[in-house]
Amino acid sequence: MPASSTFSSVQRVAALLSSRCQSTFSLSAASAPSRLHSASSVSIPRQVTGYNDPRFSQRPFSTTPRQQTKTIKPHRLPSDLIPPYPYGERRVYKQSNRGLYGSARIRFGNNVAEKHNNKSRRFWRPNVHVKAFFSPSLCARVKTRLTLRVLKTIRREGGIENYLLKSKPARIQELGPGGWNLRWLLMQTQAVQQQLNEERIGLGLEPKEIENRDDIIHFALDYATPGPLSTRSRATLDEMQAAVADTFVLGDDRLGHMEGVEELSDEEEQKLLDELQALDEAAKDAKGHPVET
């Protein structure tokens, strides 16, 4: 191919590219004013316009505080406030007193070798996990240790509240001290009191009056939460202590301040009771079997 024809083809390509570049530049220049106009309509930051601008009068987020929920552990509830567990604390595997272990305990056995039938002692621990449940009646999360068998029972019952409120003796014995404390606290809520009244009506019994025990519930939840007590809980504690102090005052207590009157000690009390028992036995012998002379 001759050099002149090659040079002419290169010139045509360069001219085509230059014409396209000019058209693109003209289009971008024409659209520049519209871009500037749209940029002028963009909202200006608050630090430029100030806080009195009506465009910033409505905040895009809510200022309502989020509802607080406590996370408690059943074994931290006040034991002095709650009635004692009817079956007492567990003497074997005391760890089960601090959770929902059911009837699970440490099991002992032997490893038996297949070849020589040798035995070596071993043990099996319960399959224990940590789980948190939300209680609608208490508006709090209950975090406790529990076994998988208890967790399966809770799922079958429909929640931890239904599991705790079941009144069969086998369930009460399965709860342990920790579950007993949580059961008592649930029974103080108005929702559970209403539920128990509906069960009484279904059995043909008269319903009981629903009492407002929110202060006691708040104190128990605050007591089971780490940290100092709130002002409301302190006031509730003072009221309960004053009520207990007034309960044990029988009649006029001015006798305790009289001179020459002392409080009866435990040793003197036992001595007086022994003398009284001896007199009763002597009276029975004199009545049923006359003494021979």
Side-chain angles (χ1 to χ4, degrees):
M1 182 180 292
S4 60
S5 61
T6 304
F7 182 73
S8 61
S9 61
V10 173
Q11 286 181 342
R12 287 196 297 271
V13 172
L16 181 61
L17 291 176
S18 62
S19 62
R20 290 184 178 180
C21 291
Q22 290 178 359
S23 61
T24 304
F25 178 76
S26 60
L27 290 174
S28 61
S31 61
S34 62
R35 291 178 182 177
L36 293 175
H37 179 70
S38 62
S40 62
S41 63
V42 176
S43 60
I44 304 174
R46 178 179 296 183
Q47 59 267 24
V48 178
T49 59
Y51 290 97
N52 296 326
D53 196 330
R55 289 179 295 176
F56 301 101
S57 59
Q58 296 180 354
R59 305 183 70 179
F61 56 90
S62 175
T63 58
T64 304
R66 185 178 179 182
Q67 185 179 4
Q68 300 294 329
T69 57
K70 290 180 176 291
T71 302
I72 64 172
K73 295 183 178 180
H75 66 273
R76 289 184 176 178
L77 293 172
S79 58
D80 297 338
L81 181 64
I82 301 173
Y85 182 52
Y87 295 97
E89 293 188 355
R90 293 162 177 170
R91 301 296 182 180
V92 180
Y93 197 49
K94 295 183 180 181
Q95 181 182 346
S96 60
N97 294 324
R98 303 168 62 90
L100 302 176
Y101 284 58
S103 57
R105 301 291 185 273
I106 295 181
R107 295 181 300 166
F108 296 90
N110 298 321
N111 284 330
V112 182
E114 297 181 358
K115 186 175 182 181
H116 301 288
N117 200 23
N118 293 331
K119 296 181 180 181
S120 59
R121 295 292 294 174
R122 64 156 298 179
F123 61 90
W124 293 268
R125 295 183 183 274
N127 193 357
V128 180
H129 299 269
V130 178
K131 182 68 177 178
F133 302 93
F134 179 75
S135 175
S137 301
L138 296 175
C139 294
R141 297 172 71 247
V142 180
K143 186 176 182 180
T144 180
R145 292 182 178 183
L146 76 169
T147 60
L148 287 183
R149 289 185 178 275
V150 174
L151 179 59
K152 181 179 179 181
T153 307
I154 291 174
R155 298 303 185 192
R156 185 177 67 247
E157 295 288 349
I160 189 170
E161 292 188 358
N162 296 335
Y163 172 79
L164 294 172
L165 294 175
K166 197 169 183 179
S167 58
K168 288 187 176 180
R171 178 60 53 82
I172 300 298
Q173 190 173 6
E174 182 181 338
L175 291 179
W180 172 262
N181 295 345
L182 195 59
R183 171 189 169 89
W184 180 88
L185 188 61
L186 278 173
M187 296 181 69
Q188 309 307 309
T189 60
Q190 298 184 16
V192 176
Q193 291 183 44
Q194 181 64 30
Q195 179 181 350
L196 295 178
N197 278 341
E198 293 177 358
E199 294 179 359
R200 291 189 184 95
I201 294 174
L203 295 174
L205 303 176
E206 296 183 359
K208 293 185 178 180
E209 182 180 359
I210 297 178
E211 300 179 3
N212 187 2
R213 302 171 183 171
D214 293 341
D215 292 338
I216 297 178
I217 297 172
H218 184 272
F219 166 74
L221 295 177
D222 198 6
Y223 190 92
T225 306
L229 296 177
S230 61
T231 306
R232 179 181 177 184
S233 299
R234 291 173 182 266
T236 304
L237 180 60
D238 295 339
E239 291 178 1
M240 289 189 296
Q241 291 177 350
V244 171
D246 295 339
T247 302
F248 289 96
V249 176
L250 301 178
D252 192 0
D253 59 344
R254 290 179 297 177
L255 185 63
H257 300 284
M258 295 179 61
E259 297 182 359
V261 178
E262 297 180 358
E263 184 180 357
L264 189 65
S265 61
D266 295 339
E267 293 79 6
E268 294 176 353
E269 178 185 354
Q270 185 63 34
K271 183 178 179 181
L272 293 175
L273 292 177
D274 294 340
E275 293 178 357
L276 180 61
Q277 184 177 2
L279 291 175
D280 292 340
E281 292 178 356
K284 290 181 181 179
D285 293 340
K287 183 179 180 180
H289 303 281
V291 180
E292 297 181 359
T293 59

